[in-house]
Amino acid sequence: MRGDRELTTADLCDRIRDVSKATVYRHVDLLAAGGVLEVALERRVRGAVERRYRLRHDRAGIDTDTVISSGHLRATVPV
């Protein structure tokens, strides 16, 4: 979601096909509740509310120590 894109949860599901829709929806809810994503637009679509989310760059940073301690750093680049 970098680059000031605004995406719906359905848009994210289309882009992340190897993850279940339920998982994507759950994570979007968690990220929005945590302030990492914000609702950019809400509109009614066929009786439901569609929300477009955007990344809050000021809340989305991960420091190097967290990345290293999480074990998700798989690159062979010296740290």
Side-chain angles (χ1 to χ4, degrees):
M1 296 190 68
R2 295 180 313 174
D4 296 324
R5 289 188 200 129
E6 295 177 2
L7 300 171
T8 65
T9 307
D11 293 334
L12 289 170
C13 288
D14 288 343
R15 287 171 169 76
I16 311 170
R17 294 179 185 244
D18 59 333
V19 176
S20 74
K21 288 183 180 184
T23 299
V24 174
Y25 274 82
R26 186 170 50 250
H27 280 84
V28 167
D29 285 342
L30 289 170
L31 290 167
V36 176
L37 295 180
E38 67 182 352
V39 177
L41 176 72
E42 283 187 342
R43 66 182 184 127
R44 284 245 176 240
V45 177
R46 293 180 295 241
V49 176
E50 177 187 76
R51 290 180 183 88
R52 298 191 71 75
Y53 294 94
R54 72 175 149 238
L55 183 65
R56 287 195 50 196
H57 297 283
D58 62 322
R59 304 285 305 267
I62 301 173
D63 61 74
T64 305
D65 292 336
T66 302
V67 173
I68 292 169
S69 66
S70 71
H72 288 97
L73 186 64
R74 294 192 177 124
T76 57
V77 178
V79 179

